[in-house]
Amino acid sequence: MSRYLAQIHIAKKELALDEDSYRAILFRVTGKGSAKDLTEAQRLRVVTEFKRIGWTNKKQGGSFRPASSKAYVRKLYALAKRLDELGYWNAPYKDALRVFVRTRCGVDNPEWLTYAQANPLIEALKEIEGRLSG
């Protein structure tokens, strides 16, 4: 199932649209009455319309992860994302960060780190960032 098709079905449910209202929106936006008949571009237009009428996508992006309550974990993710933007990782940055943490500390999830464990990792990521951007 495509990403936008899934979002259409989730939005329909969360907006509590009855079948007639749902089909009317599809037809108004795309000229078609079924989401399965839409191109990806048309599906995106429908998702955009659902957002315009009040739907918010609570699961933006790939896997949803609530922001950590720990500032140092958020910092690790922010640095990993920055390194990804600089082309450092060969995998999605969240996966790469997990491997980095596991390799350096033996901890499987950055969320499980203590401040004492995370601080040297933060400094190491800052050093890598400095080498790449400077």
Side-chain angles (χ1 to χ4, degrees):
M1 180 181 287
S2 83
R3 175 177 134 194
Y4 297 125
L5 185 57
Q7 287 182 4
I8 288 170
H9 292 295
I10 292 167
K12 175 188 173 194
K13 181 179 178 183
E14 290 180 358
L15 289 169
L17 296 173
D18 62 54
E19 199 63 28
D20 290 338
S21 300
Y22 166 70
R23 302 245 180 237
I25 291 171
L26 288 180
F27 193 79
R28 178 172 48 82
V29 172
T30 68
K32 295 180 183 172
S34 173
K36 71 177 181 168
D37 297 332
L38 304 179
T39 65
E40 278 299 291
Q42 290 171 323
R43 290 175 180 164
L44 174 58
R45 288 201 313 260
V46 172
V47 168
T48 302
E49 176 63 10
F50 284 151
K51 288 178 181 178
R52 189 189 69 76
I53 62 175
W55 179 66
T56 56
N57 184 2
K58 296 174 186 76
K59 211 172 174 182
Q60 195 68 27
S63 62
F64 175 74
R65 174 180 327 200
S68 177
S69 62
K70 302 171 187 171
Y72 58 89
V73 173
R74 292 192 307 269
K75 181 69 172 179
L76 279 169
Y77 278 106
L79 286 165
K81 185 174 183 180
R82 176 70 180 128
L83 291 177
D84 188 50
E85 292 165 357
L86 294 170
Y88 181 72
W89 306 117
N90 291 327
Y93 77 91
K94 291 177 183 177
D95 296 335
L97 179 62
R98 274 189 232 104
V99 171
F100 182 80
V101 169
R102 189 178 313 119
T103 303
R104 297 272 181 124
C105 291
V107 176
D108 287 333
N109 185 335
E111 190 65 39
W112 301 339
L113 292 169
T114 65
Y115 178 79
Q117 292 170 314
N119 198 45
L121 299 176
I122 290 169
E123 294 307 314
L125 292 174
K126 285 181 182 178
E127 186 179 319
I128 294 167
E129 180 186 21
R131 285 194 311 254
L132 291 174
S133 59

